[in-house]
Amino acid sequence: MYRSHTCGALSINNLNQKVTLSGWIQKIRDKGFVSWIDLRDRYGVTQLVFDTERTPESLLKTVQNLGREYVIQISGTVIERESKNPNIPTGEIEVLVANLTVLNTAKTPPFTIEDKTDGGEDLRMKYRYLDIRRNPVKQNLIFRSQVAIAVRNYLSGQGFIEVETPYLIKSTPEGARDFVVPSRMNEGQFYALPQSPQTFKQLLMVAGMDKYFQIVRCFRDEDLRADRQPEFTQIDCEMAFVTQEDILETFEGLTKHILHHTKGITVEKFPRITYADAIKKYGNDKPDIRFGMAFGELNALAQGKGFQVFDNQELIVGIAAPGLADYTRKEIDALIDWVKRPQVGAGGLVWVRYNHDGTFKSSVDKFFNEETLLAWAQALQAQPGDLLLVMAGSADKTRSQLSALRMELANRLGLRKADTFAPLWVTDFPLLEWDEESKRYHAMHHPFTSPKPDDMHLLDTDPGKVRANAYDLVLNGNEIGGGSIRIHDKKTQQKMFSLLGFSDAQAKAQFGFLMDAFEYGAPPHGGIAFGFDRLVAILGGQETIRDFIAFPKNNAGRDVMIDAPSTIAQEQLEELHINLTKSED
Amino acid sequence: MYRSHTCGALSINNLNQKVTLSGWIQKIRDKGFVSWIDLRDRYGVTQLVFDTERTPESLLKTVQNLGREYVIQISGTVIERESKNPNIPTGEIEVLVANLTVLNTAKTPPFTIEDKTDGGEDLRMKYRYLDIRRNPVKQNLIFRSQVAIAVRNYLSGQGFIEVETPYLIKSTPEGARDFVVPSRMNEGQFYALPQSPQTFKQLLMVAGMDKYFQIVRCFRDEDLRADRQPEFTQIDCEMAFVTQEDILETFEGLTKHILHHTKGITVEKFPRITYADAIKKYGNDKPDIRFGMAFGELNALAQGKGFQVFDNQELIVGIAAPGLADYTRKEIDALIDWVKRPQVGAGGLVWVRYNHDGTFKSSVDKFFNEETLLAWAQALQAQPGDLLLVMAGSADKTRSQLSALRMELANRLGLRKADTFAPLWVTDFPLLEWDEESKRYHAMHHPFTSPKPDDMHLLDTDPGKVRANAYDLVLNGNEIGGGSIRIHDKKTQQKMFSLLGFSDAQAKAQFGFLMDAFEYGAPPHGGIAFGFDRLVAILGGQETIRDFIAFPKNNAGRDVMIDAPSTIAQEQLEELHINLTKSED
């Protein structure tokens, strides 16, 4: 038996007990006649004490030779501390050590194992097994497992069955790039790793499984942006015999349960907004609604007044930044520079100070009188003391630029509070989006999403206008889930594939099994999938998913700890019937 | 809303209620003036009734055009059945239908959707989405998810953290063949899919995570035997600061919990046997102990009596088949033929009838008197009425042949009861096994298994004799779990790699990160992994794992439903910097 208690367990209630502890040496303080060791394990830290009066000399000598991160086992007696530490649960006691065994030595770690470490990202990743010893990372992983348990218990309680779908599946050209796996037994053929279990969950609905979920790994071979991983985890769900309303209700319930059980937070009914309104109001299909600053459109109030910058633009749109009327010219100029950066790309910014006394001062005083500016302020729901910021240009671009400004201001104003949770359903997404490069429509969600029955007639005449029975769940400005009612008849599915530029032969080769399945009694069905990594990160009050993944990969898709990917033996290549091509550069 | 109730919910308590149901047509019976439809969903079957008296004519016409497996939605009134069916929960009622909507039509399924189907294995796999509609398959999948929930809740309750480890890792030559994944972003390099998360769980122990588990997919590119899958699921567990005893206790607790919560069965303390004793007593390291027939060794009693077949053999060993003294000569001859089959490969079988009156009749009466045969019977713990069966030859081969006979007899005697559960710990496995082909030692479990401290001195002199701190959990003659205490210091691990024929450079290239980690304070640790597919199958009273996997692959590693693996586009190959080699045949 290596321990009678963990290092987080002992308190004043254990006084005078003989205990055995095991753990890592966090810190050694040697005052000559007395030494203390902070002993750490997953559960906490317990202070060990050694002194010239009560500790055998041989043991004192052993202590001399210990170092940080040594693994030791001790036994001793729980005694009361002289100087107590009210900040930790074990802060009232210490253990007077009688025996000590070194279970393992340790080299000096390449960075400090403390909450605030001196280790940079690269070093932390290379020695991830040391990084996880640090409380913030350890707690993130524990929190992740708690969220998973909450999800599983809720969904199981609602009659959902977790079904494991295969990881070795078939490559499909739609969507992102697949990772593929050469088959040794089937020469010249490849499996693909799933980008999601989409078709399998739909087949499970055809199979009558009715309520399915799975917390499942998915794979996308994409050029990695800052916070993407080639493998990521999804809470994947599907239901049969449901309408969109049933699905929103069910997964609103799940999200409330998670918030309640892992954060102790109760959220009322989630607001809903259509995609079109979200774009109009926030310039964004995943608006952060922890704060206001909704857009106001000013075309009617701002055009035809002689200010040529506005007159010929498609859209004039503004927001009221709360309390920023006191911004100096310098601060405002800095804001203007910020929107002109290539990352935002705006041409400029018209500003109007709505002073505390109700007067106005703006960059366009020459063109607009106080009365007009007051009308602007009203359109933007501004209060005295706010700073109105107005942009103009083509609608899509301007909205997206103003959205970036809105988020920036919220950051500056501290309005994006990590402990506030504001979920929002965004509904009625377009079915298709036009891709200029390939000159064809792409599925906005995926090719299995059902058009809205009301818009079905537009499929032939104006496909870009067709709305889908598709919805996203947005939390604090992040899309944490998305789904749709699916197509469940072969004819509509064929139509959809043809709109997406599949030939009949391609559709049959790739998705024949699904369309076949639709002919054997497919029920109406729909579902949703949550990005589990992001969900956990946001619930944890952070936005970087890497900190919530035990062994993440870097932006080149490498695991720098194990040094993967790596070369493989020629023998392996031969067995797989492949060889490497020569690089052309 | 597609339904107010499921098809398994209604009973006499719902009489006269207006209800809405959705589901599949299981069966239509048309008696002219009255028709019945059995409507099926995941939850059960409800009988619908239509008759010329109460049903509108247009609806009767619709019913005429329905077929099996059509998906329909109906609303109607719950009424009492005239002829009740006590075998199903809804058997006292039927629904008099007022409205019916066809949600989807169905082609005639290629096999009947019934508990006993007329579909063969191949057809069932091709149309797995129809196969899963059948109760036995559906119930297996639901049972599987219940076992997973029981596992997770138990382990979480014990303080285990579920940590997701990566699927895109690094190829290692030890063990079975890896599936590999070419990296597009790292030219000429490959990820491997994990055969198990072994090194990651050990790193998590180094990381201080202490109690880890994961229900996780694993991958092995093996030539598939009848009941192996290229991807399979493991309950993977690891603990730090534990002895072998702590691990056996913890996972005995888990197994008891599963048996109790999914089968309602309470099992007392699990018996334990060493590997050496299991081989001696059952000729097998995973003995089925639902029944007796333990081996008795007869060398002392059977040699030197002039029976030359025995005299020069390494081992003479027998079992007592309960109650088979009445076997006819013909039946015994058939048994002898059975052991001579190449699959068993025995040279023959000596038999002794221990008659009900206490007398003996044997195939070797010429050489052994009644007194000797009685001594044999006592050595085999036989009762009057038993049939003694004795084999002789080299120890390993003979034990394995007798083990096959023991299992065969148990099958014939109905002693392998699917609803009896007899777990057994097998401990003290050898650390290494000699491989004649490669002329080197292989790790019996894996290269991270710790030698028993008592046997450490044999590592240099007689490595084959070294026992490991390794254990298997056997259930009903199947290994359902196996694990070990791990090596946790770099020196022993290096030694082990060298015994396994790794050069220092190879060991460093493959497992350098693990040996590095061992230098930064690795705690003593150990763990276990359960084969989840097999565990669920055995708990379900079956031995074929394929019936407990939603979308299994066939023996050629193919998913015949989605037709994977398949060829991929030349473009994909180019992006991955590989091309196909020409077949040489």
Side-chain angles (χ1 to χ4, degrees):
Chain A
M1 193 203 58
Y2 279 99
R3 55 189 175 191
S4 61
H5 296 77
T6 67
C7 296
L10 298 173
S11 73
I12 203 82
N13 299 322
N14 302 92
L15 229 51
N16 301 320
Q17 286 181 15
K18 304 269 180 220
V19 299
T20 304
L21 303 178
S22 290
W24 287 264
I25 294 178
Q26 174 78 35
K27 205 159 49 180
I28 307 178
R29 276 160 302 151
D30 183 357
K31 296 271 177 196
F33 63 98
V34 55
S35 297
W36 292 277
I37 289 179
D38 282 352
L39 189 67
R40 184 197 71 233
D41 67 9
R42 182 182 127 198
Y43 309 90
V45 169
T46 297
Q47 181 168 298
L48 312 179
V49 64
F50 310 77
D51 66 34
T52 46
E53 211 173 290
R54 295 173 292 182
T55 309
E57 204 167 320
S58 64
L59 181 48
L60 286 175
K61 217 167 246 167
T62 306
V63 172
Q64 294 281 319
N65 293 316
L66 299 175
R68 279 189 181 221
E69 300 305 318
Y70 273 45
V71 188
I72 62 171
Q73 180 187 35
I74 62 96
S75 57
T77 309
V78 181
I79 60 176
E80 196 166 356
R81 275 204 214 180
E82 281 187 23
S83 108
K84 299 187 176 172
N85 178 351
N87 298 321
I88 60 170
T90 61
E92 292 189 287
I93 58 93
E94 58 193 359
V95 175
L96 179 65
V97 176
N99 294 293
L100 186 154
T101 308
V102 175
L103 298 173
N104 217 338
T105 59
K107 294 203 295 193
T108 306
F111 51 84
T112 55
I113 311 294
E114 282 166 3
D115 290 8
K116 294 252 176 243
T117 181
D118 56 358
E121 175 88 359
D122 289 351
L123 212 52
R124 287 176 47 212
M125 289 303 145
K126 181 163 166 52
Y127 296 93
R128 185 65 161 176
Y129 47 86
L130 299 179
D131 197 30
I132 295 173
R133 286 190 194 160
R134 298 170 52 238
N135 277 316
V137 184
K138 181 179 73 184
Q139 291 308 334
N140 285 351
L141 297 181
I142 293 175
F143 180 68
R144 182 184 178 109
S145 85
Q146 288 165 342
V147 177
I149 283 278
V151 169
R152 287 196 163 96
N153 285 340
Y154 182 83
L155 291 176
S156 300
Q158 299 284 318
F160 282 78
I161 304 298
E162 185 162 20
V163 179
E164 296 173 54
T165 53
Y167 280 115
L168 295 173
I169 66 164
K170 183 167 165 165
S171 188
T172 61
E174 184 66 9
R177 239 186 246 103
D178 284 322
F179 283 105
V180 299
V181 181
S183 168
R184 181 179 54 87
M185 292 206 278
N186 301 274
E187 181 172 346
Q189 301 191 349
F190 293 75
Y191 303 98
L193 301 178
Q195 296 184 30
S196 90
Q198 183 64 34
T199 48
F200 289 98
K201 69 177 177 176
Q202 292 193 241
L203 290 172
L204 284 170
M205 295 306 106
V206 177
M209 284 304 281
D210 205 76
K211 288 177 169 183
Y212 145 92
F213 85 103
Q214 189 181 190
I215 301 185
V216 62
R217 202 71 53 85
C218 302
F219 305 85
R220 279 181 206 172
D221 185 12
E222 289 176 298
D223 296 319
L224 300 177
R225 282 181 271 155
D227 202 29
R228 289 275 185 122
Q229 289 281 317
E231 49 177 314
F232 54 96
T233 302
Q234 226 170 254
I235 310 172
D236 193 51
C237 310
E238 196 80 3
M239 303 172 79
F241 300 118
V242 288
T243 60
Q244 173 170 313
E245 188 58 33
D246 297 319
I247 294 182
L248 299 195
E249 286 293 331
T250 302
F251 294 98
E252 187 162 323
L254 170 66
T255 311
K256 283 178 178 173
H257 177 87
I258 297 170
L259 283 167
H260 187 69
H261 280 257
T262 67
K263 304 296 294 182
I265 285 169
T266 305
V267 180
E268 296 304 304
K269 194 158 174 49
F270 296 1
R272 297 184 188 179
I273 192 171
T274 63
Y275 171 86
D277 284 349
I279 295 295
K280 215 170 142 70
K281 206 167 159 191
Y282 301 104
N284 198 316
D285 63 0
K286 44 186 184 194
D288 190 339
I289 58 163
R290 281 175 293 183
F291 55 92
M293 287 197 272
F295 292 6
E297 300 191 357
L298 304 178
N299 290 40
L301 300 169
Q303 290 185 318
K305 310 267 171 164
F307 183 51
Q308 295 210 338
V309 175
F310 281 180
D311 281 351
N312 296 316
Q313 301 298 352
E314 187 183 358
L315 180 70
I316 298 128
V317 60
I319 54 176
L324 293 194
D326 300 328
Y327 254 30
T328 62
R329 267 309 297 263
K330 209 176 147 191
E331 286 171 311
I332 293 175
D333 283 346
L335 262 192
I336 295 172
D337 287 345
W338 189 89
V339 300
K340 284 180 168 175
R341 296 180 323 146
Q343 296 93 319
V344 183
L349 199 55
V350 165
W351 57 267
V352 183
R353 286 205 193 100
Y354 188 3
N355 295 314
H356 295 277
D357 62 3
T359 62
F360 291 89
K361 171 73 194 137
S362 81
S363 58
V364 288
D365 283 350
K366 259 187 268 181
F367 304 98
F368 303 99
N369 58 24
E370 289 248 332
E371 193 185 342
T372 305
L373 296 179
L374 179 63
W376 288 18
Q378 284 163 346
L380 305 187
Q381 301 185 289
Q383 304 296 321
D386 291 355
L387 177 68
L388 318 188
L389 296 163
V390 181
M391 287 175 160
S394 68
D396 288 356
K397 205 184 265 183
T398 308
R399 283 182 177 128
S400 137
Q401 290 160 350
L402 189 60
S403 170
L405 177 62
R406 176 176 176 268
M407 295 302 274
E408 172 66 14
L409 288 169
N411 281 332
R412 293 188 188 188
L413 290 164
L415 300 174
R416 306 191 69 196
K417 296 198 174 74
D419 58 352
T420 301
F421 293 94
L424 171 72
W425 286 111
V426 181
T427 63
D428 297 3
F429 274 79
L431 183 68
L432 303 163
E433 53 186 350
W434 181 255
D435 182 54
E436 259 313 313
E437 203 177 314
S438 58
K439 298 280 176 207
R440 67 172 181 91
Y441 284 109
H442 283 254
M444 189 126 177
H445 269 67
H446 52 56
F448 314 108
T449 297
S450 172
K452 275 196 180 294
D454 287 352
D455 293 359
M456 207 66 110
H457 66 282
L458 296 169
L459 270 180
D460 289 314
T461 53
D462 194 355
K465 278 267 159 55
V466 176
R467 290 166 307 158
N469 273 324
Y471 33 81
D472 276 357
L473 182 55
V474 172
L475 183 59
N476 295 2
N478 293 277
E479 180 209 325
I480 57 161
S484 63
I485 297 295
R486 324 300 183 188
I487 297 166
H488 69 280
D489 66 289
K490 183 171 178 170
K491 227 179 91 198
T492 311
Q493 190 64 66
Q494 275 173 328
K495 173 100 204 160
M496 187 70 180
F497 283 132
S498 112
L499 277 173
L500 296 172
F502 282 73
S503 73
D504 280 1
Q506 282 170 327
K508 195 177 156 55
Q510 297 299 333
F511 297 108
F513 59 96
L514 186 66
M515 288 194 290
D516 285 351
F518 283 175
E519 294 197 296
Y520 288 100
H525 62 284
I528 194 167
F530 293 84
F532 188 59
D533 306 296
R534 187 158 312 280
L535 173 64
V536 172
I538 293 168
L539 292 173
Q542 295 176 35
E543 294 198 348
T544 311
I545 65 173
R546 200 171 294 186
D547 293 337
F548 289 81
I549 296 172
F551 301 103
K553 295 194 171 51
N554 72 11
N555 285 350
R558 295 199 69 82
D559 182 327
V560 295
M561 180 185 71
I562 63 170
D563 193 27
S566 61
T567 55
I568 60 174
Q570 184 58 31
E571 206 175 42
Q572 278 175 288
L573 293 172
E574 281 164 19
E575 282 194 326
L576 297 171
H577 325 287
I578 56 174
N579 53 33
L580 303 179
T581 55
K582 290 261 161 52
S583 176
E584 284 170 24
D585 55 19
Chain B
M1 194 203 56
Y2 278 100
R3 55 189 175 190
S4 61
H5 296 77
T6 68
C7 295
L10 298 172
S11 72
I12 204 83
N13 299 322
N14 303 92
L15 229 52
N16 301 320
Q17 287 181 14
K18 304 268 180 221
V19 298
T20 303
L21 303 178
S22 290
W24 287 264
I25 294 177
Q26 173 78 37
K27 206 158 51 179
I28 306 177
R29 275 159 301 150
D30 185 355
K31 297 270 178 197
F33 63 100
V34 54
S35 296
W36 291 277
I37 289 179
D38 282 352
L39 189 67
R40 185 195 71 235
D41 66 10
R42 182 183 127 197
Y43 309 89
V45 170
T46 298
Q47 181 169 297
L48 312 178
V49 62
F50 310 79
D51 66 34
T52 45
E53 211 170 289
R54 296 172 293 181
T55 308
E57 202 164 322
S58 64
L59 181 48
L60 285 175
K61 215 165 248 168
T62 305
V63 172
Q64 294 280 320
N65 292 317
L66 299 175
R68 277 186 182 225
E69 301 304 318
Y70 272 45
V71 188
I72 62 171
Q73 178 186 36
I74 63 96
S75 56
T77 310
V78 181
I79 60 176
E80 195 166 356
R81 276 205 213 178
E82 280 187 24
S83 106
K84 297 185 179 175
N85 178 353
N87 299 321
I88 60 170
T90 61
E92 294 190 286
I93 57 94
E94 58 193 0
V95 175
L96 179 65
V97 176
N99 294 293
L100 186 154
T101 308
V102 176
L103 299 174
N104 217 336
T105 60
K107 293 205 295 195
T108 306
F111 51 83
T112 55
I113 311 293
E114 280 166 6
D115 289 8
K116 296 251 176 242
T117 182
D118 56 358
E121 176 88 358
D122 288 351
L123 211 52
R124 286 177 47 211
M125 289 303 145
K126 182 162 164 55
Y127 297 92
R128 186 64 163 174
Y129 47 86
L130 298 179
D131 197 31
I132 296 174
R133 285 188 195 163
R134 298 169 51 239
N135 276 317
V137 184
K138 181 178 73 182
Q139 291 308 333
N140 286 351
L141 297 182
I142 293 174
F143 179 68
R144 181 182 178 111
S145 85
Q146 287 165 341
V147 177
I149 284 278
V151 169
R152 287 195 163 96
N153 284 340
Y154 183 82
L155 290 176
S156 299
Q158 299 284 318
F160 282 79
I161 304 297
E162 184 160 24
V163 180
E164 296 173 54
T165 54
Y167 279 115
L168 296 172
I169 66 165
K170 182 166 165 165
S171 188
T172 62
E174 185 65 9
R177 238 185 248 103
D178 284 322
F179 282 105
V180 298
V181 182
S183 167
R184 180 178 56 85
M185 290 207 278
N186 300 273
E187 182 172 346
Q189 302 191 349
F190 293 75
Y191 302 99
L193 301 178
Q195 296 184 31
S196 90
Q198 182 64 31
T199 48
F200 289 97
K201 68 178 176 175
Q202 293 193 241
L203 290 172
L204 284 170
M205 295 305 106
V206 178
M209 285 305 279
D210 204 77
K211 290 176 168 183
Y212 144 91
F213 85 102
Q214 189 181 188
I215 300 185
V216 62
R217 201 72 52 83
C218 301
F219 304 85
R220 279 182 206 171
D221 185 11
E222 290 176 299
D223 296 319
L224 300 177
R225 283 181 269 156
D227 201 29
R228 289 273 184 126
Q229 289 282 316
E231 50 177 314
F232 55 97
T233 302
Q234 226 170 255
I235 310 172
D236 193 51
C237 310
E238 196 81 1
M239 303 171 80
F241 300 117
V242 287
T243 60
Q244 175 170 311
E245 188 58 34
D246 296 320
I247 294 183
L248 299 194
E249 286 293 331
T250 302
F251 294 98
E252 186 162 324
L254 170 65
T255 311
K256 283 178 177 171
H257 177 87
I258 297 171
L259 283 166
H260 186 70
H261 279 257
T262 67
K263 305 295 294 180
I265 284 169
T266 305
V267 180
E268 296 305 305
K269 194 158 174 48
F270 296 1
R272 298 183 188 180
I273 191 170
T274 63
Y275 172 85
D277 285 349
I279 296 295
K280 218 171 140 67
K281 204 168 161 188
Y282 301 105
N284 198 314
D285 64 359
K286 45 185 183 191
D288 190 339
I289 59 163
R290 280 175 294 184
F291 55 94
M293 288 198 271
F295 291 7
E297 299 190 359
L298 304 177
N299 290 42
L301 299 169
Q303 289 184 317
K305 310 267 172 167
F307 184 51
Q308 297 209 334
V309 175
F310 281 179
D311 281 350
N312 296 315
Q313 299 298 352
E314 187 183 0
L315 180 70
I316 297 127
V317 60
I319 53 174
L324 293 195
D326 300 327
Y327 254 30
T328 61
R329 268 309 297 265
K330 207 176 149 195
E331 286 171 310
I332 293 175
D333 285 343
L335 263 193
I336 295 171
D337 287 344
W338 190 87
V339 300
K340 285 180 167 173
R341 297 181 323 146
Q343 295 93 319
V344 182
L349 200 54
V350 165
W351 56 267
V352 183
R353 285 205 194 99
Y354 188 3
N355 295 316
H356 293 277
D357 61 5
T359 61
F360 291 89
K361 172 70 196 138
S362 83
S363 58
V364 287
D365 283 349
K366 259 188 264 178
F367 304 96
F368 303 98
N369 59 24
E370 289 249 335
E371 193 183 343
T372 306
L373 296 179
L374 179 62
W376 289 17
Q378 284 163 346
L380 304 186
Q381 301 185 289
Q383 303 296 322
D386 290 356
L387 178 67
L388 318 188
L389 296 163
V390 181
M391 287 175 162
S394 69
D396 288 357
K397 205 185 266 183
T398 308
R399 284 182 177 128
S400 139
Q401 290 160 352
L402 189 61
S403 171
L405 177 62
R406 175 176 176 268
M407 294 303 274
E408 172 66 14
L409 288 169
N411 280 332
R412 292 190 188 186
L413 289 163
L415 301 175
R416 306 190 69 197
K417 295 197 175 74
D419 58 352
T420 301
F421 293 95
L424 172 72
W425 287 111
V426 181
T427 63
D428 297 3
F429 274 80
L431 182 69
L432 303 163
E433 53 186 349
W434 181 256
D435 183 53
E436 261 312 315
E437 203 176 316
S438 57
K439 296 282 176 208
R440 68 171 181 92
Y441 285 107
H442 283 254
M444 189 127 176
H445 269 68
H446 52 56
F448 314 108
T449 297
S450 171
K452 274 197 181 291
D454 289 351
D455 293 358
M456 208 65 110
H457 65 283
L458 295 169
L459 270 182
D460 289 314
T461 54
D462 194 357
K465 278 265 158 57
V466 177
R467 290 167 306 159
N469 273 326
Y471 33 81
D472 276 357
L473 182 56
V474 172
L475 183 60
N476 295 0
N478 293 277
E479 179 209 327
I480 57 160
S484 63
I485 297 295
R486 323 300 183 186
I487 297 166
H488 69 281
D489 65 291
K490 184 172 178 170
K491 229 180 86 198
T492 311
Q493 189 65 65
Q494 275 174 328
K495 172 100 205 160
M496 186 71 180
F497 283 133
S498 113
L499 277 172
L500 296 173
F502 281 74
S503 73
D504 281 0
Q506 282 171 327
K508 197 177 153 55
Q510 297 300 331
F511 297 107
F513 59 96
L514 186 65
M515 290 194 289
D516 285 352
F518 283 175
E519 295 198 295
Y520 288 100
H525 61 285
I528 194 166
F530 294 84
F532 188 60
D533 306 298
R534 186 157 314 280
L535 173 64
V536 172
I538 292 168
L539 291 174
Q542 296 177 36
E543 295 198 348
T544 311
I545 64 173
R546 200 171 295 186
D547 293 338
F548 289 80
I549 296 172
F551 300 103
K553 296 194 171 53
N554 72 10
N555 286 350
R558 294 200 69 81
D559 181 327
V560 295
M561 179 185 72
I562 64 170
D563 192 28
S566 63
T567 54
I568 60 174
Q570 183 59 30
E571 206 175 43
Q572 278 176 288
L573 293 172
E574 281 163 19
E575 281 193 326
L576 297 170
H577 325 288
I578 57 173
N579 54 36
L580 303 179
T581 54
K582 290 263 159 55
S583 177
E584 283 170 25
D585 55 19

